[in-house]
Amino acid sequence: MSPPVAPPGWSRWLVPPAALSVHLSIGQAYAWSVFKPPLESALGLSGTQSALPFQLGIVMLGLSAAFGGTLVERKGPRWAMTVALVCFSSGFLLSALGASLEQYWLIVFGYGFVGGIGLGIGYISPVSTLIKWFPDRPGMATGIAIMGFGGGALIASPWSAQMLESFGGDSSGIALAFLVHGLSYAVFMLLGVLLVRVPPRERSVESGPSALAGPQVSADRAIRTPQFWCLWIVLCMNVTAGIGILEKAAPMITDFFADTSTPVSVTAAAGFVALLSAANMAGRIGWSSTSDLIGRKNIYRVYLGVGAIMYALIALFGDSSKPLFVLCALVILSFYGGGFATIPAYLKDLFGTYQVGAIHGRLLTAWSTAGVLGPLIVNWIADRQEEAGRHGASLYGLSFVIMIGLLVVGFVANELVRPVDPRHHVPAPKEAAHVDRQQSESA
């Protein structure tokens, strides 16, 4: 399947909706928690067991993005979106079969392994194309698409809950809900497959630079540079800090105010989670668009530096003021989402558009690492503190200090980012094409 080249007169503003159709679909992953209680009840699972499909899915997201990035870059966005459609929808269909047969391993394999591959390939599928269409506003362009991944749960969560209420929370009801998800997302993602186009090779953007302007670095060369590993640390630290709150948001706000005269109800805690999802989504488009104005290094100074201040305010004064706690958490989650949306543009600034999709895929291994690290820090320390007889906000004090330290590490890594040494540059587009042919022949 060759990448479809846009005909003359094709509007570049048709590409972000194509990307959104994929990202809004795979963003369902953030709504997995809706299925946890019925699965635990219907199949007799523990909380740890019911989280396994989601955890495996995030691990496979990072691994498939890393190992499939170069192939996605070579085959183009239509091929990648098709692979994502097949894997993500098949994951739901296998999960439907597993729920129907009450074979939980099949749900783990379907949603976590097969669907996780769809998550990774789908996540990176439009990034390189968007940057090439919008070299003048790469932060805004990737922010629009990646906003969809953050906002997918806002659609999927009530939709899934309504289906489970209508179909029932037993194994057959869960199976039917999985089936409807798989078929519906296949249709929706197909819109992106049919709509996406790549720009002509020498296309110029009105009032903006060429997509091929500036240094160009191959993916194999990029991972040998200190800039890549500095950005890996930056992304990992920022995601660890955000997911540390996101993963435990409802019990965290409940614990913080459990010993006060105004404890947080279950309903209010659920509302807090919804607010965090909205901040996550808004940060992806808002902060990434801001980075086009103030620069990528400056916006990450905000994410990491101000993020550390927000954590410090929660640790010191969070249990004495609900508005302060909520505001600081919302800011942290907006930085979490903004960090995801801004990193492709940061990569483009440093390495060019030549193989930015493949480079982005490799960098997402930082997400897989942070997806394990963040929840582990918060949950393990909270469990140890509870065993020691502590309760309330004191369960999280040490973990917040650690998060502040990690954000400082990320801040320092961001300060160390410098332009890539010219010896790593691909000399010219024709020579880049020659490199592509050599890689294809050796594959």
Side-chain angles (χ1 to χ4, degrees):
M1 183 182 294
S2 59
V5 179
W10 180 267
S11 173
R12 63 177 180 165
W13 291 101
L14 293 173
V15 181
L20 267 175
S21 73
V22 173
H23 273 244
L24 281 170
S25 298
I26 62 176
Q28 183 280 334
Y30 277 146
W32 173 255
S33 60
V34 174
F35 288 102
K36 283 170 60 68
L39 281 170
E40 291 167 16
S41 176
L43 302 181
L45 305 174
S46 67
T48 301
Q49 288 173 322
S50 67
L52 189 56
F54 171 78
Q55 291 173 317
L56 180 58
I58 295 299
V59 170
M60 292 307 301
L61 185 158
L63 293 178
S64 61
F67 289 104
T70 301
L71 195 59
V72 169
E73 194 75 26
R74 189 180 304 147
K75 296 282 190 179
R78 177 169 288 179
W79 177 88
M81 289 180 177
T82 302
V83 171
L85 183 160
V86 171
C87 290
F88 190 65
S89 296
S90 296
F92 270 113
L93 299 182
L94 287 169
S95 297
L97 180 62
S100 179
L101 299 176
E102 298 188 359
Q103 296 293 318
Y104 187 59
W105 70 267
L106 193 53
I107 298 176
V108 175
F109 174 75
Y111 189 93
F113 184 81
V114 179
I117 295 173
L119 287 178
I121 301 299
Y123 190 87
I124 64 173
S125 62
V127 169
S128 176
T129 302
L130 284 166
I131 289 176
K132 289 171 183 175
W133 273 111
F134 293 88
D136 51 331
R137 285 181 281 182
M140 179 214 67
T142 56
I144 290 174
I146 294 175
M147 175 186 68
F149 192 85
L154 295 180
I155 299 171
S157 184
W159 183 42
S160 301
Q162 183 59 51
M163 273 195 285
L164 290 170
E165 184 177 333
S166 300
F167 301 151
D170 58 0
S171 58
S172 61
I174 297 169
L176 189 53
F178 282 151
L179 177 63
V180 173
H181 275 75
L183 297 177
S184 300
Y185 282 131
V187 173
F188 195 56
M189 294 172 76
L190 184 61
L191 297 176
V193 172
L194 298 176
L195 191 60
V196 73
R197 299 286 188 278
V198 297
R201 181 76 172 173
E202 298 299 331
R203 177 182 180 273
S204 61
V205 177
E206 56 276 10
S207 303
S210 166
L212 295 173
Q216 307 292 324
V217 182
S218 70
D220 288 341
R221 280 284 187 177
I223 61 173
R224 301 175 190 174
T225 65
Q227 288 84 354
F228 176 89
W229 294 106
C230 282
L231 289 189
W232 193 97
I233 293 171
V234 165
L235 182 63
C236 185
M237 299 302 99
N238 192 60
V239 173
T240 299
I243 210 168
I245 285 182
L246 185 62
E247 188 271 342
K248 202 174 175 63
M252 183 180 292
I253 193 171
T254 302
D255 289 337
F256 253 78
F257 299 98
D259 299 330
T260 68
S261 58
T262 55
V264 176
S265 67
V266 174
T267 303
F272 174 63
V273 173
L275 281 175
L276 293 181
S277 296
N280 177 11
M281 183 176 66
R284 291 173 187 246
I285 182 62
W287 292 120
S288 61
S289 297
T290 303
S291 76
D292 289 332
L293 302 175
I294 69 173
R296 252 58 78 172
K297 177 174 278 193
N298 285 332
I299 201 68
Y300 271 97
R301 285 169 173 152
V302 174
Y303 297 158
L304 299 160
V306 178
I309 294 172
M310 294 296 103
Y311 257 114
L313 288 174
I314 293 177
L316 293 172
F317 310 111
D319 59 344
S320 62
S321 172
K322 283 182 186 175
L324 177 66
F325 180 94
V326 172
L327 178 62
C328 291
L330 290 177
V331 172
I332 291 170
L333 262 293
S334 75
F335 292 162
Y336 168 82
F340 278 124
T342 310
I343 203 69
Y346 209 162
L347 292 171
K348 177 260 181 187
D349 293 347
L350 290 170
F351 302 110
T353 61
Y354 171 47
Q355 288 190 335
V356 69
I359 299 169
H360 184 222
R362 286 165 167 80
L363 195 76
L364 288 181
T365 54
W367 186 0
S368 295
T369 303
V372 174
L373 191 60
L376 180 64
I377 291 171
V378 175
N379 288 296
W380 186 85
I381 290 177
D383 289 344
R384 300 291 81 75
Q385 298 284 46
E386 190 171 13
E387 289 173 2
R390 296 184 176 88
H391 52 84
S394 61
L395 296 175
Y396 304 97
L398 178 57
S399 60
F400 283 5
V401 170
I402 293 173
M403 293 298 180
I404 293 169
L406 293 178
L407 287 168
V408 170
V409 170
F411 189 94
V412 172
N414 184 52
E415 294 302 306
L416 295 176
V417 173
R418 298 288 186 273
V420 176
D421 191 296
R423 65 191 174 89
H424 295 293
H425 295 176
V426 174
K430 287 184 179 179
E431 294 177 58
H434 177 66
V435 172
D436 276 340
R437 284 195 299 272
Q438 286 184 323
Q439 289 178 341
S440 180
E441 291 167 1
S442 65

